[in-house]
Amino acid sequence: MEWTTERRYRRYEDWTQEERKEIQEKMAQSPWHVSYHIEPKEGLLNDPNGFSYFDGKWIVFYQNFPFGAAHGLKSWVQLESDDLVHFTETGVKILPDTPLDSHGAYSGSAMQFGDNLFLFYTGNVRDENWIRHPYQIGALVDKDGKIEKIDKILIDQPTDATDHFRDPQIFNFKGQYYAIVGGQDLEKKGFIRLYKAVDNDYTNWQEVGNLDFNNDRTAYMMECPNLVFVGEQPVLLYCPQGLDKKVLDYDNIYPNMYKIGASFDPENARMVDVSELHNLDYGFEAYATQAFNAPDGRALAVSWLGLPDVSYPSDRFDHQGTFSLVKELTIKDGKLYQYPVAAIKELRASKEEFSNRSETKNTYELELNLEANSQSEIVLLADKDGKALSINFDLVNGQVTVDRSQAGEQYAQEFGTTRSCSVTNQATTVNIFIDNSVFEIFINKGEKVFSGRVFPHADQNGIFIKSGNPTGTYYELEYGRKTN
């Protein structure tokens, strides 16, 4: 069925129980559901939202269109966790049901204030002429899950911005609350604007100015900006749509990037001594990454493993999108590292020496060791003819290459079927997580990361060492396992 604008923005209450049951039945037939990653209960999952700590629980929402694998009238669906690995839906949802978010609850962030969790998000509104009006608005969720929306615009569309102005992220810097919002100016160039909470009142925001992070002004929109702190160092994560590839080459339709600063000067809206621009993830899918500083100071992040304007094989089963594993961000020798939180080890159900396997459950972790001056290739999600996801480790020439051209049903081929990154020729560790239709690869505990989707055929579940002599451990992972 064609996804017309009318169908995408049909009111939630107009969908019948029979229609929703049909969607759920179609989803149940999909061969590509994940085990230990987050996926939608219904329809499409995209941006992680409201990542926070509240009332003794880790909270994250996913942006959701529950009526199929399409970007339509969006809501938020809440998940909670006590270990950042096992997540449970709570039933709390931010629905597009007021005049300030009538055409979608778009992306945003969260912060605990007193006994409430404050949700700061973009209300997408279209008028009778289908002109968009983006409002930065808020809601409060209490400890019982009751939602109260704040009945006023907290940050309105600036006069020097187009209607592309969204994704507020609230953060605390030295006891003062700030927020950044991504936007597009009247010259169709992307910017990030900094705001300050007057008297730390989350309903009263004062503009400070455009964030100075050495913006190259080639992107036409800055989506999903996040400013987190590793120690005293600010790390800006953002998605510069339309970034000139002469600034930094990338293959995905839209990139997810980062810069590190030496310090943050909020009075002048400035990151001091900003690093060069870097790819956050070298894989095929990692977008709209949301990060926040936990109460213990750690910088935690989670990404949408999907991309806007891309169709996926699972679409025909009415579902699309997963989250990455939750990762902790650290800085070593000026480089940003990202690696799954320690509790991921609780999923390890069995431990065996890494070797060829003709068949697996496609839910496992590999922990590999590569010697300096070595060259090796392993293939995962492999059939008996060797068609598989290929990972080539060429330490001699300093390059790792991931090739999914033989891994299951193909899609988005116009953006290429291989991804590569440079590595140092030295003894190297590699942790690879496979979850049926997801792979995440962490080199040297997160110095470089590849994330992506694959949609394997039913007989693609083997592991083979094609060349070289990588050694290590195979762990079968079971989501139901929990040590506490």
Side-chain angles (χ1 to χ4, degrees):
M1 190 175 296
E2 182 184 359
W3 282 105
T4 62
T5 299
E6 182 179 13
R7 183 172 172 80
R8 290 174 190 268
Y9 287 89
R10 185 179 171 189
R11 305 308 306 175
Y12 279 35
E13 58 270 22
D14 294 338
W15 291 84
T16 67
Q17 287 300 315
E18 289 76 16
E19 288 174 311
R20 297 190 78 147
K21 182 180 178 183
E22 184 178 333
I23 292 166
Q24 292 167 358
E25 288 174 348
K26 191 179 289 188
M27 284 186 66
Q29 298 170 20
S30 173
W32 296 308
H33 289 297
V34 294
S35 170
Y36 56 92
H37 285 77
I38 293 168
E39 67 178 3
K41 185 175 289 186
E42 292 181 291
L44 177 136
L45 166 156
N46 60 307
D47 299 8
N49 294 154
F51 195 17
S52 54
Y53 187 79
F54 173 60
D55 192 27
K57 296 282 188 180
W58 303 102
I59 302 294
V60 69
F61 293 78
Y62 63 83
Q63 203 174 92
N64 181 226
F65 178 69
F67 307 111
H71 290 273
L73 187 59
K74 299 290 182 64
S75 56
W76 286 21
V77 177
Q78 190 193 72
L79 304 158
E80 70 175 24
S81 174
D82 58 14
D83 64 359
L84 293 166
V85 173
H86 297 83
F87 285 87
T88 304
E89 286 196 13
T90 65
V92 175
K93 298 183 180 182
I94 302 297
L95 297 172
D97 58 2
T98 74
L100 296 181
D101 58 12
S102 59
H103 289 71
Y106 279 18
S107 290
S109 54
M111 181 79 71
Q112 180 168 350
F113 285 88
D115 291 333
N116 294 305
L117 183 65
F118 168 61
L119 307 181
F120 200 7
Y121 67 103
T122 300
N124 184 46
V125 175
R126 297 275 189 172
D127 63 22
E128 62 274 10
N129 298 312
W130 205 246
I131 295 172
R132 186 198 342 255
H133 301 277
Y135 302 130
Q136 312 316 310
I137 57 177
L140 297 174
V141 181
D142 68 17
K143 293 181 179 181
D144 295 321
K146 182 182 176 182
I147 300 168
E148 180 184 354
K149 292 189 177 181
I150 298 170
D151 189 24
K152 72 172 186 175
I153 299 168
L154 304 184
I155 300 176
D156 210 342
Q157 178 183 342
T159 57
D160 61 347
T162 71
D163 60 355
H164 291 288
F165 183 70
R166 55 183 175 267
D167 310 337
Q169 187 232 355
I170 185 172
F171 63 96
N172 183 325
F173 181 70
K174 297 185 176 180
Q176 171 65 51
Y177 290 99
Y178 296 91
I180 52 175
V181 185
Q184 179 189 74
D185 65 24
L186 299 180
E187 297 178 359
K188 303 294 178 68
K189 301 294 184 182
F191 68 89
I192 297 171
R193 190 150 297 175
L194 179 69
Y195 294 84
K196 178 181 180 179
V198 177
D199 297 325
N200 274 341
D201 176 1
Y202 54 79
T203 68
N204 188 4
W205 293 93
Q206 180 182 74
E207 180 180 316
V208 180
N210 283 351
L211 182 66
D212 180 358
F213 59 100
N214 291 348
N215 184 1
D216 56 77
R217 304 252 324 145
T218 66
Y220 61 75
M221 173 61 191
M222 302 300 190
E223 283 203 317
C224 304
N226 284 250
L227 193 61
V228 292
F229 296 87
V230 179
E232 291 291 312
Q233 289 189 263
V235 179
L236 179 68
L237 313 176
Y238 63 109
C239 299
Q241 292 188 324
L243 178 76
D244 191 329
K245 294 185 180 183
K246 293 178 182 177
V247 176
L248 185 63
D249 198 18
Y250 60 95
D251 293 312
N252 295 344
I253 182 172
Y254 303 122
N256 206 161
M257 303 287 190
Y258 76 89
K259 288 186 174 183
I260 301 174
S263 60
F264 177 54
D265 175 7
E267 291 186 4
N268 295 298
R270 178 171 171 252
M271 290 175 67
V272 179
D273 294 334
V274 183
S275 74
E276 294 180 352
L277 186 63
H278 297 280
N279 259 310
L280 183 66
D281 192 295
Y282 290 87
F284 298 89
E285 277 102 359
Y287 196 75
T289 301
Q290 181 156 105
F292 84 107
N293 283 106
D296 61 10
R298 285 182 298 164
L300 301 172
V302 63
S303 305
W304 169 33
L305 297 187
L307 286 165
D309 305 324
V310 171
S311 297
Y312 289 84
S314 63
D315 291 1
R316 68 177 182 269
F317 294 101
D318 282 345
H319 75 101
Q320 185 189 121
T322 73
F323 281 175
S324 71
L325 300 174
V326 176
K327 298 158 285 191
E328 182 178 353
L329 306 180
T330 56
I331 296 174
K332 300 177 186 177
D333 300 323
K335 299 177 183 178
L336 185 69
Y337 282 65
Q338 43 187 328
Y339 194 71
V341 295
I344 195 67
K345 293 182 179 179
E346 295 180 3
L347 302 186
R348 293 174 175 176
S350 63
K351 174 181 178 181
E352 299 177 43
E353 184 178 346
F354 173 63
S355 61
N356 292 335
R357 290 174 175 267
S358 60
E359 188 175 344
T360 72
K361 295 179 182 178
N362 281 350
T363 52
Y364 57 83
E365 176 191 356
L366 302 178
E367 190 163 58
L368 306 181
N369 299 299
L370 309 173
E371 294 181 354
N373 299 308
S374 66
Q375 294 174 312
S376 56
E377 181 182 1
I378 63 172
V379 293
L380 312 177
L381 306 168
D383 64 18
K384 59 181 176 55
D385 297 319
K387 292 182 178 179
L389 177 71
S390 166
I391 310 171
N392 190 295
F393 303 100
D394 184 355
L395 301 188
V396 174
N397 294 298
Q399 190 169 63
V400 175
T401 300
V402 179
D403 183 344
R404 69 177 181 187
S405 63
Q406 301 297 312
E409 294 199 14
Q410 296 298 295
Y411 66 99
Q413 290 174 292
E414 63 270 33
F415 303 107
T417 57
T418 64
R419 296 288 187 269
S420 299
C421 78
S422 60
V423 292
T424 303
N425 184 1
Q426 62 183 20
T428 298
T429 64
V430 184
N431 287 75
I432 302 171
F433 294 85
I434 297 292
D435 191 0
N436 194 19
S437 59
V438 169
F439 69 87
E440 296 188 66
I441 304 169
F442 299 89
I443 299 170
N444 291 330
K445 301 299 182 183
E447 180 184 357
K448 297 287 178 70
V449 180
F450 291 85
S451 303
R453 302 299 306 274
V454 283
F455 296 88
H457 301 301
D459 61 347
Q460 289 189 303
N461 54 17
I463 299 174
F464 298 103
I465 301 169
K466 198 167 181 180
S467 64
N469 187 36
T471 61
T473 307
Y474 169 93
Y475 297 97
E476 192 72 41
L477 301 186
E478 292 182 2
Y479 188 66
R481 289 177 59 83
K482 201 171 180 183
T483 57
N484 60 351

